[in-house]
Amino acid sequence: MIRGTTIVDARGERSGDVLIRDGRIVEAGDVHSATDEPVLAANGRYLTPGLIDCHIHLCHQSGPDPRVITGKTDVRLAIEAAEAARRTVRAGVTTARDCGGRGFVETALRDAIRTGVVEGPRLVTSGHPIMRRGGHMSYYGRQIDGPEDARLAAREQIAGGVDWLKVVATGGVTTPNVDPRRAELTEEEIRSVVEEGSKAGRPVAAHAHGGEGIRNSLAAGVRSIEHGTYADDDMIRFMVEHGVFLVPTLIATRAMIDAGTAKGVPEYAVRKAAEVDGERRKAFSACVARGVKIAMGTDAGTPFNPHGENAREFELMVEAGMTPSQALDASTVAAAKLLGLERDVGLVEPGFVADLLLLSANPIDDPTSYRRNLEVVVRSGTVIRD
Ligand SMILES: [Zn+2]
């Protein structure tokens, strides 16, 4: 039982108590019963749903150059990923989507968390990112040549036990000799992945900066656009009409720019981050204004964007034009919807999983509250940090 709290979720604010049984919320409001329950006295502190981060990379550890992964064994990745998962949930992220790892390490970790072997957020995973030969992130993903190979790559990920598929539709920032503005996969290649995914009930997320890559991804039927830097009016209209989500990951380029070459980020990465950063924020605010569904995601694991500092994205979304209430929706209800978990997580309501955070300041009044004022984390009804 959590006594005397102010509930703050995407449906608004109300004061009351929350009764939890078997990991789920059974009552929220004026709870009179259950006097023998263990009580956590909230003393007026703010109770919100756990955050949902729709874009992390548990196999990457936020060093200056992600290509360091090529020198590590899968066993090493697994040890590091387990520690990253622990930091993530202790920072208030109780559910996350991993958007690309190696050796199905992140998928094995998902299962280990589920069975209680390791502490971490509830995970959905996408296995190896699928890209064209020599494309962005090809140093650890599944490189494909043509639509039939793309189909095979999708089947391999599904056989590996993933929940989602991830395609790399354009170049990106952290790989040398690729251009974020240029398309890398064809529409046909992405469509093969979408078709294989839909047969198995696995939606597809597309890394896409440039316009042609976004267009290819939308035409092929992906469920979410990651980054979305050069989304124009037509693409935005399509996303609204078809319910395609944007996962903005604003923190990723900001972190690389702030660290710079002085901290060892490769020159090409800093330069490309600077080129796309302003464009991304413009596209983000256009998407917000036009009513695109937006789900919070950080790209945690990329350079100087460490696991456990995910809540910084909440502040950047507000800085780039969302109201704190919109940012709360993007970080809870909308994110849950993207992941197909909207009946389980994202609200403080009876029937929902008790993934809850207790904050000493209201995040609607102070967007830094998730980072500065997080005092208790409850995951599936169990206090894991207080
Ligand atoms: Zn990513």
Side-chain angles (χ1 to χ4, degrees):
M1 165 85 88
I2 299 172
R3 272 272 184 230
T5 190
T6 302
I7 297 167
V8 181
D9 67 11
R11 291 200 177 144
E13 295 183 23
R14 59 265 182 212
S15 52
D17 318 308
V18 172
L19 182 62
I20 298 162
R21 276 212 189 100
D22 300 325
R24 293 211 177 231
I25 298 166
V26 290
E27 278 186 73
D30 217 355
V31 182
H32 294 289
S33 59
T35 47
D36 58 341
E37 306 286 337
V39 171
L40 196 162
N43 298 323
R45 287 178 290 176
Y46 300 88
L47 189 71
T48 87
L51 298 173
I52 302 172
D53 189 332
C54 294
H55 192 135
I56 67 172
H57 296 278
L58 287 164
C59 288
H60 289 286
Q61 304 308 333
S62 68
D65 186 345
R67 289 181 301 168
V68 69
I69 193 175
T70 58
K72 297 179 183 177
T73 62
D74 288 351
V75 175
R76 171 72 183 269
L77 294 187
I79 293 166
E80 292 177 348
E83 169 56 19
R86 194 188 71 87
R87 272 184 278 133
T88 301
V89 73
R90 287 181 172 246
V93 175
T94 48
T95 301
R97 181 180 64 175
D98 190 285
C99 272
R102 196 188 71 198
F104 299 107
V105 160
E106 73 302 315
T107 302
L109 180 57
R110 172 199 68 192
D111 296 342
I113 292 168
R114 201 178 276 166
T115 52
V117 177
V118 177
E119 189 178 276
R122 169 179 304 92
L123 285 178
V124 299
T125 65
S126 49
H128 303 83
I130 297 169
M131 73 282 298
R132 84 164 180 206
R133 185 166 303 280
H136 177 47
M137 301 190 286
S138 54
Y139 52 89
Y140 76 98
R142 169 62 160 86
Q143 307 184 56
I144 60 113
D145 292 304
E148 277 315 297
D149 197 25
R151 197 174 292 283
L152 177 59
R155 289 177 181 174
E156 288 165 3
Q157 306 318 307
I158 295 163
V162 303
D163 311 284
W164 274 73
L165 295 163
K166 165 80 179 291
V167 295
V168 183
T170 70
V173 170
T174 54
T175 307
N177 304 317
V178 301
D179 186 338
R181 289 166 298 193
R182 290 187 189 276
E184 294 200 336
L185 292 175
T186 64
E187 182 186 325
E188 290 68 31
E189 287 167 332
I190 301 170
R191 181 169 290 124
S192 294
V193 175
V194 171
E195 280 173 7
E196 286 306 313
S198 68
K199 284 189 222 162
R202 267 69 165 186
V204 178
H207 159 103
H209 289 285
E212 191 188 344
I214 297 175
R215 246 190 323 271
N216 289 343
S217 302
L218 294 175
V222 306
R223 183 103 197 274
S224 66
I225 296 288
E226 313 297 307
H227 321 306
T229 305
Y230 295 95
D232 68 13
D233 280 356
D234 287 345
M235 299 166 202
I236 290 173
R237 187 174 319 116
F238 187 99
M239 290 174 79
V240 172
E241 278 169 13
H242 293 82
V244 180
F245 282 75
L246 173 72
V247 181
T249 73
L250 300 172
I251 185 65
T253 41
R254 177 68 68 86
M256 277 181 260
I257 293 166
D258 288 351
T261 52
K263 289 197 174 158
V265 182
E267 181 280 329
Y268 59 82
V270 177
R271 178 176 45 80
K272 288 192 278 183
E275 277 165 17
V276 302
D277 191 65
E279 298 299 323
R280 303 176 66 208
R281 275 182 284 124
K282 257 189 266 171
F284 169 77
S285 41
C287 286
V288 172
R290 300 272 296 279
V292 173
K293 291 181 183 175
I294 292 171
M296 190 270 272
T298 58
D299 226 351
T302 55
F304 297 93
N305 181 14
H307 298 288
E309 292 184 17
N310 316 60
R312 289 198 293 164
E313 182 73 11
F314 190 94
E315 297 159 44
L316 289 183
M317 290 193 295
V318 172
E319 196 185 295
M322 271 185 163
T323 65
S325 300
Q326 287 174 317
L328 179 59
D329 182 74
S331 306
T332 56
V333 171
K337 174 95 180 133
L338 171 60
L339 303 187
L341 298 171
E342 69 272 21
R343 285 194 297 274
D344 290 313
V345 294
L347 287 168
V348 186
E349 294 276 334
F352 280 75
V353 173
D355 284 355
L356 301 165
L357 313 179
L358 208 48
L359 307 168
S360 60
N362 188 339
I364 299 300
D365 301 331
D366 178 4
T368 68
S369 182
Y370 283 107
R371 190 162 50 86
R372 292 200 177 131
N373 307 111
L374 176 61
E375 299 195 340
V376 180
V377 176
V378 178
R379 161 84 156 82
S380 297
T382 303
V383 176
I384 57 167
R385 167 187 158 175
D386 70 353

